[in-house]
Structures are given as structure tokens and as C-alpha cells.
Amino acid sequence: MKKTEYPAIGETLYTAVLPNGLPVYVVTKPGYRRSFAVYAANYGGADRRFTLAGEQKDTPAGVAHYLEHKMFDTPDGDALMKLSATGANPNAFTSEAMTAYHFECTGHFEENLRTLLSFVSVPYFTQASVDKEQGIIAQEIRMYEDAPDFVVYTNLMKCLFEHSPLRDSVAGTVESIREITPQVLYDCHKVFYHPSNMALCVVGDVDPEAVERIAREILTPEEAEIPGRDYGPAESAEPLERLCEARMEVSEPVFIIGGKLGAMAAGEEALRERITAGLALRCLCGRSSPFYLKNYDKGLLNATFGSDVDYAAGQGVVCFEGETSADPHDVFDALCAEIGRVSAEGFDPALFDRQKKASLGGRIRALGNFRSLAIGIVEGCFAGFQPLEAFRLMEEITCDDAAAWVREKLVPERLALSVIYPKEA
């Protein structure tokens, strides 16, 4: 395996690409008892239409999430129980962009890694088990639909996008999952769960060569065609609608202000954009920003307020969210005014320097979070960059870069507002 040292942060990364196309990453942590492993597919809720061997395929909303639920079933029983029996803590998740299966353990690491790679690689579905899961997932979907945070976000996506699958929930709808059959699950597993479309990352005091050897032993040696993704026609920079309002059982209005950031960058430029966006948002509306402090004192914002950027389905999205005892439209107007001010005047260099140091400190602390580190590495793999390079790139990003990101990406006329108001008495 190739060894790369990062002396500035005290990390060592081992990498390899197997003959079947699987990228393998190992971050060694000498002296630690616990280890974390994640085996992830470059396949999420947004990957519903794809092309393989020149043929276009369409699948119902929710297949990736449904597949995640069913992959723990094996002819020998529940893989979750098998991992738990060794003291491991296993789990999985599906996002718009990826599906990941992972475990953390303090012993039996190689045994657990073999189990992980085996059950994710070999699907086992029956009509009875798929039918049973349909009821479980339908109940989960109904729970989401009763959650204000879920509804306010979904409504925002419908405001922003006209065609993108980001308009729809990762779990699908009660109606769409009725179309999912064992054959649909087998077909999607064959296309997206091949090692050529996956990544393996391990963090811990483990032998990198042993990780590579086990992956070679368990997984198919053959490469496969990578499916082409189709996320629909190109979206305009403008939102489809600028406002969506609803009422639910909440004590105070819940809001999200969001906008499209345009097409995702690729490779190291994608990492640079993420770092720049993070620094810009810290300066624009972070807890120590003038905007946050002023509007906290005025009662427009409270401790629930936050901001983030996300990238999936070829798109970037920025969100500003929270609860307020005031009118969410006033928060929207205040944020737009601050964006206009920063676009004209830029950021205070002293503020930028403080936020840059705080961001650097946060990234260094995050190296001790094995889960975050491993999942970040596989996300970076799928986007074509190495997250550990962030420490080098951060030094190159300037105050002017952060202000330019606000000026170019956060055009007030391109923002939309989604609000959940309390139900009227």
C-alpha cells in the first residue's frame, strides 16, 4: 500500500486500489484500542435514473434506503446480531449521495471486517421479507412527515428545484416504495454495490496490509462498469418558488433559508470550495459574527440558528436554519441585508483570521473522531479529493476569497424561505 505522511497534523494514510477498482484507505492510530471501519457505496437517494451499457434505467424513489434496510438480512440470520455478538457497534445510513455500512469495535477487528464486507457484498431478499419491510419503512416515512424539521427542509427543496431528485425524500414515499420488488433490489445491488463503485476506509491501530488482504479475499476480483447518473435537466440559478409556508405542532416558527450553489466542482477544487464556503459562513453568520450577535440581542435569532452547505446530485445547496420567536421574514430580510453589506464591503480581516484559526482547531479536534474521519474520507473519494489535504489548502484561502464566495454564491434574489408556523388555536 502507498504510505502518505501528514507531519503537520501527525497522521499517516495508507492507500491502495484493488484490481476490482475498490479504493482502500487506512488511517493508522497507534496505541488506540478502538477501530472504525466503513464500507460505502457511491449510491444514494438521488441516484434513481442511471445508464448502464447504453441503456437507461428508472427506479422508484426510496430504493437506496430500502436496500440499506434489507442488506443486514443473510441466509445465516441478521448481520447486525453477528457483529454485536463480538462487541462491535454496527450501523448504516443512506443520504442523497451515498449508502454506508460501518462498525466500531475494541476487539475482533479482522473478524468484524470480514463480516462487514461479506454481508454487504451478497444480497439476500425474499418476497416475504421485502413485503414485511415495506410496512416498516412506510411507518418510518409517516414519522418523518410528522417531523417539522423534515417537512421544512423538504418544502425548501421543492421551492429550490424543479427537476432534481433532491426534491424528494431519501426514503421515498409510501406510494413509491410499493413499486419496490426483490428484483429491483437485486438489480440495483448488482449495479451500485460492486467494489468498483464503493470505497473502504478503516481508522485505528490496525495493520493496513491485513485490511487490503481481507478485502482481496472477500470481494470479487473483477471490475465492473460504473453507471452514469442522470439527475434531470439543468436547473436555473433562480428558485422555482421563493416561499413555502405550512402549519404544524410547533411552539415557535421553524425556518430554513436556502439557495442553490450551482454545479459541484470536481477534484481538489471541490475541497477548496467546501473549505471556502465553511469559512465564509463562519464569518457571515457564525456564533461570533456581528450578524449573529446583533440579531440574537434583537430576538430574531437564538441558539438553534446555524448554517451549512451540502453537495449531492451534482448540486450544491446552502441552508440557514433555526427557530425564532419573531417573524421569519424579518430573519430573511436581515440575512439578505448582511449578504449585501459583505458583498460590498468584504469581511473584517481580523474576524476572518479568528474564524480561520477556529476552523483549523475544529478540524484538528475532528481527527480524533474516527467515524467522522473515515466517512469524510469516503465522501472525498467519491468527489475526487482527499480531506486530509484540507489543512494545506486552508492556508491558501484568503479573506477576499471568502467574501467573493458570498458575493457570487449568496445572491439574495436566488434565496428561498421555508417556514413552519405553529397551528392556530
Side-chain angles (χ1 to χ4, degrees):
M1 298 184 78
K2 178 183 176 182
K3 180 181 179 180
T4 304
E5 300 276 3
Y6 294 89
I9 55 175
E11 298 292 349
T12 302
L13 174 69
Y14 293 83
T15 58
V17 178
L18 304 191
N20 57 18
L22 176 73
V24 179
Y25 303 89
V26 180
V27 180
T28 53
K29 295 283 189 175
Y32 282 82
R33 291 189 59 196
R34 61 192 170 94
S35 302
F36 184 92
V38 57
Y39 189 38
N42 187 8
Y43 174 49
D47 298 309
R48 289 158 41 191
R49 176 178 293 175
F50 57 92
T51 303
L52 195 68
E55 185 178 353
Q56 184 171 288
K57 306 282 188 180
D58 280 286
T59 57
V63 174
H65 175 257
Y66 209 115
L67 196 52
E68 176 221 315
H69 273 237
K70 295 307 302 168
M71 283 311 302
F72 289 97
D73 290 351
T74 75
D76 300 325
D78 189 339
L80 273 173
M81 299 297 292
K82 185 174 182 180
L83 287 164
S84 298
T86 67
N89 181 20
N91 213 329
F93 69 86
T94 306
S95 69
E96 292 284 5
M98 66 185 286
T99 308
Y101 302 84
H102 54 84
F103 70 82
E104 186 175 57
C105 66
T106 56
H108 304 279
F109 169 76
E110 293 190 6
E111 177 185 348
N112 291 328
L113 181 61
R114 290 177 183 277
T115 300
L116 175 71
L117 298 179
S118 297
F119 83 79
V120 174
S121 302
V122 182
Y124 174 70
F125 315 124
T126 66
Q127 187 65 57
S129 69
V130 171
D131 290 345
K132 179 181 178 182
E133 199 67 36
Q134 190 175 105
I136 295 171
I137 294 178
Q139 185 178 21
E140 183 180 341
I141 291 170
R142 292 188 183 100
M143 290 173 60
Y144 292 151
E145 292 172 347
D146 288 334
D149 289 345
F150 172 83
V151 175
V152 74
Y153 177 80
T154 303
N155 286 349
L156 175 68
M157 293 298 104
K158 293 185 185 301
C159 279
L160 293 179
F161 295 102
E162 183 175 3
H163 308 289
S164 172
L166 295 176
R167 287 172 51 89
D168 303 315
S169 165
V170 170
T173 65
V174 172
E175 293 73 28
S176 71
I177 65 171
R178 289 177 185 148
E179 304 174 37
I180 299 174
T181 65
Q183 191 59 53
V184 168
L185 296 177
Y186 276 118
D187 290 345
C188 288
H189 183 279
K190 183 178 180 180
V191 170
F192 291 104
Y193 276 60
H194 192 280
S196 299
N197 192 57
M198 301 187 75
L200 172 65
C201 182
V202 174
V203 180
D205 190 0
V206 299
D207 178 3
E209 302 295 338
V211 172
E212 181 185 6
R213 183 184 69 252
I214 291 169
R216 286 176 178 269
E217 290 174 2
I218 299 292
L219 304 176
T220 176
E222 304 297 328
E223 270 195 291
E225 179 185 352
I226 302 297
R229 324 297 169 107
D230 183 355
Y231 300 121
E235 298 275 350
S236 72
E238 305 291 329
L240 184 63
E241 302 284 346
R242 295 202 67 197
L243 177 64
C244 180
E245 298 176 316
R247 292 189 179 273
M248 296 181 70
E249 295 287 354
V250 295
S251 58
E252 291 185 331
V254 178
F255 68 89
I256 300 186
I257 301 164
K260 291 175 281 191
L261 299 177
M264 288 171 53
E268 189 170 281
E269 188 56 35
L271 177 58
R272 184 184 298 274
E273 181 177 327
R274 285 161 169 77
I275 298 169
T276 304
L279 291 172
L281 291 177
R282 292 180 74 107
C283 294
L284 177 71
C285 58
R287 291 295 173 86
S288 60
S289 67
F291 169 80
Y292 180 84
L293 295 173
K294 178 176 67 176
N295 289 289
Y296 184 91
D297 289 341
K298 291 170 63 176
L300 281 182
L301 303 180
N302 58 36
T304 64
F305 181 79
S307 61
D308 198 10
V309 291
D310 194 20
Y311 298 86
Q315 289 276 347
V317 177
V318 61
C319 291
F320 307 86
E321 59 189 298
E323 300 175 6
T324 181
S325 56
D327 186 341
H329 291 266
D330 290 342
V331 179
F332 184 90
D333 292 342
L335 178 64
C336 289
E338 183 67 4
I339 290 170
R341 186 193 68 78
V342 170
S343 296
E345 302 174 9
F347 286 121
D348 174 10
L351 170 66
F352 177 79
D353 288 343
R354 289 196 303 272
Q355 296 297 346
K356 192 172 183 178
K357 290 176 182 177
S359 178
L360 179 61
R363 287 182 178 273
I364 291 173
R365 289 193 299 274
L367 294 172
N369 185 329
F370 290 10
R371 181 185 190 277
S372 175
L373 177 57
I375 291 174
I377 286 175
V378 297
E379 287 176 338
C381 169
F382 297 150
F385 63 80
Q386 173 49 251
L388 292 177
E389 294 292 338
F391 297 90
R392 172 180 61 84
L393 291 177
M394 187 175 287
E395 293 300 317
E396 303 173 6
I397 296 170
T398 67
C399 184
D400 288 342
D401 293 332
W405 185 88
V406 172
R407 189 180 308 113
E408 295 165 10
K409 300 292 187 179
L410 302 185
V411 178
E413 292 75 22
R414 297 177 182 174
L415 298 178
L417 172 64
S418 174
V419 184
I420 302 292
Y421 289 105
K423 281 190 174 181
E424 294 175 335

